[in-house]
């Protein structure tokens, strides 16, 4: 009679799959203090209710932009979004993933699937957009000590300006879609301002 074939330990296998699927919680930007012992806190920020708090270790963003796409308009309830780009290593959440909610726009699911939008699960204040390598932070919730420090986060340009709902007269470059990958649009005179009807774009952030 042959040896009995060992059956897989279903419980252990399931736990292993679950652990692997949640490995992202131990990586930047969600790793907790134990994994960030050398993290230098430059800036602090928190959501509207204060339950979610994070720190940044970089003096200023890699880039900062105003995005006028209609996806940002709809998800933020505002004419445009102010976003500052950082590496994931530049960010540290006080409580890791605790208190965070995730939204994957392409399939409209509330899971952590990149790229995704991250907000406070309680007050729903937007925190950031997380890509595969970068994060787009929203400087409006950062606690700046003075105007000079806030100026470090000044946007360099406008993107998806062809979908704008308000004209901006600030002298900054205005790209019809992504910066450097679309045409530059001229800044219209105030008397030439017009209402624009935008089109939804596929939220497929690669960074």
């Amino acid at each position: 009679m042959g040896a009995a074939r060992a059956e897989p330990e279903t419980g252990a296998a399931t736990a292993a799959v679950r652990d692997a699927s949640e490995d992202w919680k131990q990586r930047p930007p969600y790793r907790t203090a134990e994994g960030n012992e050398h993290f230098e806190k430059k800036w602090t920020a928190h959501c509207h209710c204060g339950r979610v708090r994070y720190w940044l270790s970089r003096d200023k963003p890699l880039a900062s932009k105003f995005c006028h796409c209609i996806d940002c308009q709809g998800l933020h309830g505002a004419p445009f979004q102010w976003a500052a780009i950082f590496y994931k290593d530049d960010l540290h959440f006080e409580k890791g993933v605790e208190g965070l909610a995730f939204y994957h726009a392409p399939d409209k699911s509330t899971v952590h699937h990149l790229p995704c939008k991250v907000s406070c699960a309680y007050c729903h204040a937007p925190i950031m957009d997380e890509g595969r390598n970068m994060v787009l932070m929203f400087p409006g919730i950062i606690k700046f000590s003075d105007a000079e420090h806030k100026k470090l986060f000044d946007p360099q340009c406008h993107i998806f300006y062809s979908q704008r709902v308000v004209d901006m007269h600030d002298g900054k470059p205005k790209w019809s879609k992504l910066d450097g990958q679309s045409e530059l649009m001229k800044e219209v005179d105030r008397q030439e301002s017009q209402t624009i009807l935008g089109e939804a774009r596929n939220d497929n952030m690669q960074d």
Side-chain angles (χ1 to χ4, degrees):
M1 184 174 179
R5 185 176 61 183
E7 293 295 329
E9 296 183 18
T10 305
T14 301
V17 170
R18 182 175 63 250
D19 290 344
S21 67
E22 295 188 351
D23 181 58
W24 58 273
K25 295 180 180 179
Q26 311 305 321
R27 298 195 301 264
Y30 303 110
R31 59 183 178 179
T32 52
E34 290 79 4
N36 269 351
E37 57 184 16
H38 301 300
F39 190 91
E40 184 178 2
K41 300 174 183 177
K42 298 283 188 178
W43 306 109
T44 184
H46 62 76
C47 64
H48 190 269
C49 70
R51 284 173 169 80
V52 174
R53 185 180 300 272
Y54 71 81
W55 295 277
L56 290 166
S57 64
R58 186 178 293 271
D59 288 322
K60 62 180 182 179
L62 303 169
S64 186
K65 309 171 185 181
F66 285 138
C67 181
H68 296 259
C69 77
I70 65 170
D71 295 325
C72 287
Q73 293 171 26
L75 288 165
H76 289 261
F80 53 87
Q81 167 190 279
W82 176 22
I85 302 173
F86 287 88
Y87 291 118
K88 293 187 180 185
D89 283 328
D90 296 332
L91 180 64
H92 169 79
F93 280 97
E94 181 182 46
K95 299 179 180 178
V97 299
E98 182 182 336
L100 295 176
F102 303 94
Y103 179 67
H104 183 57
D107 63 11
K108 298 179 174 59
S109 62
T110 54
V111 297
H112 181 265
H113 181 64
L114 301 180
C116 68
K117 295 184 175 293
V118 184
S119 61
C120 171
Y122 187 82
C123 69
H124 305 294
I127 304 294
M128 67 178 184
D129 287 354
E130 182 186 3
R132 291 171 177 81
N133 302 304
M134 307 284 190
V135 290
L136 278 65
M137 310 303 302
F138 306 133
I141 63 173
I142 295 175
K143 304 307 173 186
F144 296 107
S145 57
D146 55 50
E148 285 303 309
H149 286 152
K150 186 176 182 179
K151 192 171 181 61
L152 295 172
F153 286 71
D154 275 359
Q156 292 90 38
C157 67
H158 298 261
I159 59 175
F160 289 91
Y161 195 66
S162 59
Q163 300 181 18
R164 69 195 183 279
V165 295
V166 59
D167 290 311
M168 306 292 290
H169 304 91
D170 56 9
K172 299 181 188 294
K174 296 170 174 64
W175 298 90
S176 61
K177 293 184 178 179
L178 291 173
D179 50 314
Q181 302 178 35
S182 60
E183 66 174 319
L184 276 169
M185 302 179 64
K186 76 167 188 174
E187 187 170 296
V188 300
D189 294 332
R190 295 180 187 276
Q191 60 268 27
E192 296 176 358
S193 296
Q194 56 181 315
T195 299
I196 306 295
L197 181 62
E199 296 181 0
R201 66 186 178 95
N202 181 24
D203 192 358
N204 189 25
M205 184 172 59
Q206 297 298 318
D207 287 335

